[in-house]
Amino acid sequence: AAALRRLNSAVQYVPYRGALRPRSALRLVRQYDIVADCSDNVPTRYLVSDACVLAGKPLVSGSALRLEGQLVVYNYRGGPCYRCLFPRPPPPDAVTNCADGGVLGVVTGVIGCMQALEVLKIASGMGSSFNRYMLMFDALEGRFRNIKLRPKKADCAVCGDSPSVTCLQDYEAFCGSSATDKCRAVQLLPSGDRISVQRYKELLDGRVPHVLLDVRPQVEVDICRLEHAVHIPLRKLEEKDEESLQHLQKRICEEKQRTDDQTSVPVYVVCKLGNDSQKAVKILQELPAKEFGSVLAKDIKGGLMAWATKIDSTFPQY
């Protein structure tokens, strides 16, 4: 609000301190003619869209991730709402926000300017065509595309002919994730399949035989890594890449020689935040024992960022 006042002091800016909640969203939305959604999490997107439908307000929605952006105008002139396009939220572990995946600031600037343009067009009576089309922006290719949207759904839960959603609900419970744009922490494994960075440091200092598997993308490994880690990107594990799995099996066998083949060698999996490492552990646990042998895998909670904050303050954070 302070930055906007410096640009134009003639406009009234009313900041609301705190996260948008179901108990207050409808009251706030009803005070305005147009709403712009600039949030970066799924629960807030459902909350804002439902509030706009119940209040009868158009919603100019923008999103950006990495080098791509999208723009849609929901609930406008008979067009669809957010739930028409996405009736159910995606699994929490399948969602990537900007804190997790990163975003180029210029992309958010482009999409933000496009949102502002559509708000002005709607407010002035010119109207917007993005209630029928989704704007897709590819910054890498420098390309804009318009994708035709499905029409408003007659059976939509909130804007349909017989809506089942007539009041705002618990959207964090509905989506299975928190309404925050901060780095997410998902829980995909039981506690017995996870260890803390402090416990891993004890194993490392005690020279306990094991294999450390880093499943981050190569670009992140190039930023920082633990030197003794074996690097296999999660994508390679998901594809069951034979060369990668054989490389891992070879490292396990080499480490097992240190134990005189008396015990199995555990594989501790690490990533940036401890989310992808859980996915990797589930993949390793499901590998056929006849082909790859029995793999005892656990993930390191909090990943390398927890290592940087709790174990080694000199380790780079990114």
Side-chain angles (χ1 to χ4, degrees), residues 125-236:
M126 296 172 63
S128 172
S129 62
F130 291 116
N131 62 320
R132 298 186 304 274
Y133 294 90
M134 174 185 289
L135 176 72
M136 305 282 290
F137 174 52
D138 184 335
L140 187 62
E141 297 292 333
R143 181 181 302 166
F144 287 92
R145 290 190 300 148
N146 284 1
I147 298 177
K148 189 172 183 178
L149 297 175
R150 293 191 297 264
K152 178 178 177 179
K153 294 179 64 176
D155 60 348
C156 176
V158 66
C159 76
D161 297 337
S162 301
S164 58
V165 177
T166 56
C167 61
L168 300 181
Q169 58 190 89
D170 185 341
Y171 291 87
E172 292 188 336
F174 174 64
C175 298
S177 59
S178 299
T180 175
D181 61 355
K182 306 305 179 187
C183 292
R184 303 163 302 123
V186 300
Q187 182 75 36
L188 304 178
L189 297 173
S191 57
D193 289 341
R194 313 189 72 191
I195 67 168
S196 66
V197 288
Q198 294 91 334
R199 176 56 183 156
Y200 179 70
K201 182 66 164 57
E202 293 174 1
L203 296 172
L204 197 61
D205 291 343
R207 302 181 65 84
V208 176
H210 72 278
V211 173
L212 177 65
L213 176 62
D214 188 333
V215 296
R216 295 175 298 154
Q218 183 63 52
V219 65
E220 295 186 35
V221 174
D222 291 341
I223 297 172
C224 58
R225 61 176 296 178
L226 294 176
E227 291 300 324
H228 62 287
V230 176
H231 175 231
I232 300 176
L234 176 62
R235 179 177 56 82
K236 293 285 188 180

Side-chain angles (χ1 to χ4, degrees), residues 32-67:
Y32 300 93
D33 297 315
I34 307 165
V35 176
D37 182 357
C38 313
S39 64
D40 189 30
N41 67 84
V42 177
T44 299
R45 291 192 180 278
Y46 278 99
L47 168 59
V48 174
S49 177
D50 287 1
C52 284
V53 172
L54 296 177
K57 309 293 183 180
L59 173 62
V60 182
S61 178
S63 63
L65 183 67
R66 300 189 179 103
L67 292 165

Side-chain angles (χ1 to χ4, degrees), residues 22-34:
R23 62 178 177 271
S24 60
L26 197 54
R27 174 177 53 83
L28 292 174
V29 166
R30 281 176 172 153
Q31 299 177 45
Y32 300 93
D33 297 315
I34 307 165

